[in-house]
Amino acid sequence: MKPVAPQIRIARPPTGSDVARAAGVSKSAVSRAFNGGLVSEDARARIFEAARLLKYRPSLTARSLTTNRSGLIGVAITHLDNQFYPEVIEHISDRLREEKYRLVLFVTQGATDLEPMLDELLGYRLDGIVLASSSLAAQLATECRESNVPVIMFNNIDPQGRAPGVTTDNAAGAAQIARFLLAGDHRRFAIVTGIADSSTSMERCASFRETIAAAGLPEPARVSGEYSFEGATRATLELLRGKDAPDAIFCVNDHMALAAVQAARTAGREPGRDISIVGFDNVAIAAWPAFALTTYAQPVRQMTDNMISRLLQAIDGKPLPDETVRLPGRLIVRATARRPAGVRTDEEGVDYWEG
Amino acid sequence: MKPVAPQIRIARPPTGSDVARAAGVSKSAVSRAFNGGLVSEDARARIFEAARLLKYRPSLTARSLTTNRSGLIGVAITHLDNQFYPEVIEHISDRLREEKYRLVLFVTQGATDLEPMLDELLGYRLDGIVLASSSLAAQLATECRESNVPVIMFNNIDPQGRAPGVTTDNAAGAAQIARFLLAGDHRRFAIVTGIADSSTSMERCASFRETIAAAGLPEPARVSGEYSFEGATRATLELLRGKDAPDAIFCVNDHMALAAVQAARTAGREPGRDISIVGFDNVAIAAWPAFALTTYAQPVRQMTDNMISRLLQAIDGKPLPDETVRLPGRLIVRATARRPAGVRTDEEGVDYWEG
DNA sequence: ATGAAAGCGCTAACAT
DNA sequence: ATGTTAGCGCTTTCAT
């Protein structure tokens, strides 16, 4: 005994065949019409009209099965509370939209396992992957490459240079900050670092120390701010407590520098007058009047442009060399650090220092 | 004349057939093994072993073609510079991961056309869509629903209630802020609003005005801060310039309130002493010592939980009623507004006011 | 418990 | 310029 009524089905999106039927052509004609193939004006017109009527949109899922392209780029990112990353996401998103790719976002937790992460990243046949600021980024990168998915690292690179990546020239930046502070007559330096295994933190830290050492001054004190606001607050307070408190603190990123500025005030020291604090990133908040943070600006736009271009090339089959591109930034001078001579102003009224 | 050498092909990811062959079973067996179907212990073991060796991961793209589920949830969002949204993204991302969905992020521009947006959203057969803070959200919502894709609005709802959504109870929140300010003996009120067609801004604004009116006090001045930092700065400065300058400013969100606080200082008025400023959202930055912003906290966690649960139910076929769920928040008392009587402290040391 | 076969919506050779 | 055909990698009846 069969059911009398046909099964009620949810209205399904129209397919290319539906359009073909309505327009009186074959599926292939429809496909060609939507992909810039050869179709007569006449047919093309009928096809688009039918498509419009039926509200047809090609299923990108089905398409990706045959083209072997998903149109999806994965972006793995942490520390969304650090304003730098939302800014990065906006830039990436802009570029990707221009290039007709969609952005699949993976907000990675602090300590995640590698495997589940990989299942997520590799299960979808993402066309490419951007690894920004994840602590397991370097490991992820090698795994993904084994699976033949183009990967590129952003702002946090593989220290051994075994994966393609883009960063600001951290060494140059940190060295310039050190020279700036030296020129400002500071003598007792300290560094608030990020998490231990962060390449970014290590590079900036190392270069800063070298420059200070080269000037013949004592080794800067170092405390980890763990890349968090609270961590940096604690770190700064700890640095300020000692009798040999520093007269200049370099925070490895702005997120922590902003915490440091406030911590210093809490401790009764006004940055720029009683103590100098310099950050790295030049996030939007750094320019806020409440902070006026002196900081080294990362060229975010250029970094994302370079990264996406290279990634797309790799997707198009051009092999991506394991090269780390290091782009130069600029030291933006505001008010949280004593100003040495040589500060200049650009056309837009921004003060900067080139040593 | 044919080419002699076969075309060199990039190593392709292994397929279910590869695994089946290696394990000596059929494709269907592999599929069942990976989907909790009926397979003998023996076969299952061989299948997983083969899969491990070949590094096989089922193609979710192909799967979605047959199951008609993509496992993708679209999230459309603007104003990433407003720290509220990165926070929201983190919460959404957490929940989605738990539920085995991936997040496709659409950072919508200020003024985008509807159509390209729709092509993007509907082309991928997204299982569901979250519309947060887009100015065209209400229009997008109706369009998507016509295409049978579950949609839910977040923090910015359809004023006519023709689409499901979640917000904080904006009316209750704004009214409470007004009562708080009234209790603090303020008399000349002003509002810094968001963009004109934002439901959120309108709701908060309307309720605030009603409460002030009900108290028999003159209509608050209103200036648009356009949801931007610069806009809010200008708006505040403008308000402060007049001879009849307000003694209390309600900013429709924290992002603008933070600008207002700094603008007030620029104008020589210290918030909490010379003028009172209250925000809405309770973003992380509001708690920073530099601001200590008094603000109405949105229950972000509950909002996203509610939203995702409902969205997933809709995806599972349970029809989603066009209901706007309004969750209660809490007025967090910090230092930017004069404190009336009745401020209490919770277990975590947070000061709040319930009127 | 297992396999064969059909089909999801599309694209891409290959004919014509 | 257009249609036919054969998959893409998977799930899902339907037999066995």
Side-chain angles (χ1 to χ4, degrees):
Chain A
M1 186 170 156
K2 293 160 50 180
V4 183
Q7 197 180 305
I8 297 167
R9 298 177 56 65
I10 289 175
R12 311 276 254 80
T15 74
S17 301
D18 296 335
V19 175
R21 201 173 314 117
V25 297
S26 71
K27 284 169 41 171
S28 345
V30 176
S31 171
R32 281 190 280 259
F34 274 89
N35 291 297
L38 249 44
V39 206
S40 66
E41 257 324 307
D42 181 54
R44 159 173 272 105
R46 274 172 12 241
I47 290 171
F48 281 137
E49 177 59 11
R52 209 179 51 74
L53 256 34
L54 297 174
K55 289 176 176 286
Y56 167 73
R57 298 171 207 277
S59 157
L60 303 182
T61 307
R63 176 179 291 169
S64 74
L65 202 53
T66 57
T67 59
N68 216 25
R69 298 290 203 89
S70 63
L72 262 22
I73 302 280
V75 176
I77 218 158
T78 9
H79 302 301
L80 240 43
D81 55 330
N82 173 351
Q83 221 215 348
F84 181 67
Y85 291 108
E87 288 176 18
V88 168
I89 291 178
E90 273 202 84
H91 283 125
I92 295 181
S93 167
D94 287 351
R95 281 289 272 125
L96 254 25
R97 194 205 338 281
E98 287 168 22
E99 307 283 355
K100 302 286 176 203
Y101 280 88
R102 254 77 27 190
L103 188 170
V104 184
L105 187 69
F106 298 85
V107 182
T108 61
Q109 310 281 45
T112 328
D113 281 351
L114 206 55
E115 275 309 318
M117 201 62 236
L118 278 171
D119 282 342
E120 290 213 47
L121 286 176
L122 267 19
Y124 276 94
R125 301 300 193 247
L126 300 174
D127 289 342
I129 297 180
V130 172
L131 260 20
S133 83
S134 171
S135 44
L136 355 87
Q139 302 168 60
L140 281 175
T142 33
E143 290 276 357
C144 292
R145 284 149 60 83
E146 273 179 27
S147 298
N148 253 296
V149 186
V151 188
I152 192 159
M153 299 185 60
F154 185 86
N155 193 39
N156 179 27
I157 55 147
D158 181 41
Q160 274 98 66
R162 289 164 316 188
V166 191
T167 48
T168 294
D169 190 337
N170 291 314
Q176 196 165 350
I177 291 172
R179 276 184 263 108
F180 174 84
L181 257 11
L182 254 6
D185 254 356
H186 299 86
R187 287 298 171 262
R188 296 186 310 284
F189 301 93
I191 309 177
V192 175
T193 67
I195 52 179
D197 60 354
S198 154
S199 70
T200 310
S201 177
M202 289 190 299
E203 288 187 346
R204 293 177 191 168
C205 196
S207 173
F208 186 86
R209 294 169 64 196
E210 281 164 25
T211 312
I212 298 299
L217 285 164
E219 167 82 19
R222 268 172 297 153
V223 190
S224 171
E226 230 110 49
Y227 279 147
S228 77
F229 191 85
E230 297 73 21
T233 303
R234 270 195 307 276
T236 307
L237 258 15
E238 184 183 326
L239 286 169
L240 261 30
R241 217 178 354 248
K243 51 173 57 159
D244 235 33
D247 54 8
I249 302 181
F250 166 40
C251 297
V252 137
N253 72 16
D254 280 1
H255 187 60
M256 296 195 295
L258 263 5
V261 165
Q262 296 176 79
R265 287 179 185 151
T266 304
R269 312 264 240 291
E270 182 55 30
R273 192 189 59 199
D274 313 317
I275 188 170
S276 288
I277 297 180
V278 180
F280 205 114
D281 282 350
N282 194 28
V283 299
I285 302 181
W288 286 8
F291 305 108
L293 184 70
T294 293
T295 183
Y296 193 82
Q298 297 210 54
V300 190
R301 174 104 267 162
Q302 281 126 275
M303 288 166 72
T304 48
D305 280 356
N306 175 290
M307 170 177 75
I308 300 296
S309 310
R310 288 206 286 154
L311 189 58
L312 295 187
Q313 278 181 18
I315 292 172
D316 284 339
K318 191 183 158 215
L320 191 55
D322 286 348
E323 185 195 356
T324 298
V325 173
R326 297 167 192 279
L327 268 15
R330 197 165 64 139
L331 180 54
I332 307 294
V333 178
R334 287 195 276 249
T336 54
R338 193 155 63 225
R339 292 182 172 223
V343 174
R344 297 195 278 188
T345 305
D346 71 10
E347 325 75 54
E348 291 171 345
V350 176
D351 289 356
Y352 64 100
W353 191 83
E354 284 179 346
Chain B
M1 183 167 159
K2 295 158 54 181
V4 182
Q7 198 179 305
I8 296 169
R9 299 179 56 63
I10 289 175
R12 310 276 255 82
T15 74
S17 301
D18 296 335
V19 175
R21 199 173 315 115
V25 298
S26 70
K27 283 167 44 172
S28 343
V30 175
S31 171
R32 280 190 281 258
F34 273 89
N35 292 295
L38 249 43
V39 206
S40 65
E41 257 323 307
D42 180 52
R44 159 173 273 106
R46 277 175 6 242
I47 291 171
F48 282 137
E49 177 59 11
R52 206 178 54 74
L53 254 34
L54 298 174
K55 285 174 178 289
Y56 167 73
R57 298 172 208 274
S59 156
L60 303 183
T61 308
R63 176 180 290 170
S64 75
L65 201 53
T66 58
T67 60
N68 216 26
R69 300 288 205 88
S70 64
L72 261 24
I73 302 281
V75 176
I77 218 157
T78 9
H79 301 303
L80 241 42
D81 54 330
N82 173 351
Q83 220 216 350
F84 181 67
Y85 291 108
E87 289 176 17
V88 167
I89 290 176
E90 273 202 82
H91 283 126
I92 294 181
S93 167
D94 285 351
R95 283 287 273 129
L96 252 27
R97 195 205 337 280
E98 287 169 19
E99 308 283 354
K100 301 285 176 203
Y101 280 89
R102 253 82 22 194
L103 190 170
V104 184
L105 188 70
F106 298 85
V107 182
T108 60
Q109 309 281 44
T112 328
D113 281 352
L114 207 55
E115 275 309 319
M117 204 57 237
L118 278 171
D119 282 343
E120 290 215 48
L121 286 175
L122 266 20
Y124 275 94
R125 300 303 193 245
L126 299 174
D127 290 340
I129 297 179
V130 171
L131 260 20
S133 84
S134 170
S135 44
L136 353 88
Q139 302 168 60
L140 280 175
T142 33
E143 289 277 358
C144 292
R145 285 150 59 83
E146 273 179 27
S147 297
N148 252 296
V149 186
V151 188
I152 192 159
M153 299 185 62
F154 186 87
N155 193 39
N156 178 26
I157 55 146
D158 181 42
Q160 276 99 67
R162 289 165 315 190
V166 191
T167 49
T168 293
D169 190 335
N170 290 315
Q176 194 165 352
I177 291 172
R179 276 185 264 110
F180 174 83
L181 257 11
L182 254 5
D185 254 355
H186 300 85
R187 288 297 171 264
R188 297 186 309 286
F189 301 92
I191 309 177
V192 175
T193 68
I195 52 181
D197 60 354
S198 153
S199 70
T200 308
S201 177
M202 290 190 300
E203 288 186 346
R204 294 177 190 168
C205 195
S207 172
F208 186 86
R209 295 169 62 196
E210 281 164 26
T211 311
I212 298 300
L217 286 164
E219 170 81 20
R222 267 172 298 155
V223 189
S224 172
E226 230 111 49
Y227 278 147
S228 77
F229 191 86
E230 297 72 23
T233 303
R234 273 196 304 275
T236 306
L237 257 18
E238 185 184 326
L239 285 170
L240 260 31
R241 216 174 0 245
K243 51 172 57 158
D244 235 34
D247 55 8
I249 302 181
F250 167 41
C251 297
V252 136
N253 72 17
D254 279 1
H255 187 62
M256 296 195 296
L258 262 7
V261 165
Q262 296 175 80
R265 288 180 185 150
T266 304
R269 313 264 238 291
E270 182 55 29
R273 192 189 59 200
D274 313 317
I275 188 170
S276 287
I277 297 180
V278 180
F280 205 115
D281 283 350
N282 194 29
V283 299
I285 302 180
W288 286 7
F291 305 108
L293 184 69
T294 293
T295 184
Y296 193 83
Q298 296 211 52
V300 191
R301 174 103 268 163
Q302 280 125 278
M303 288 166 73
T304 48
D305 281 356
N306 175 291
M307 171 177 75
I308 300 295
S309 308
R310 288 205 286 154
L311 188 60
L312 295 187
Q313 279 181 17
I315 291 172
D316 285 341
K318 192 184 155 207
L320 191 55
D322 286 348
E323 185 196 353
T324 298
V325 173
R326 296 168 191 279
L327 268 15
R330 199 165 63 140
L331 180 54
I332 307 294
V333 178
R334 287 194 275 250
T336 54
R338 193 156 60 227
R339 292 182 171 221
V343 173
R344 295 195 277 189
T345 305
D346 72 8
E347 327 72 55
E348 290 169 344
V350 176
D351 289 356
Y352 63 99
W353 191 83
E354 285 179 344

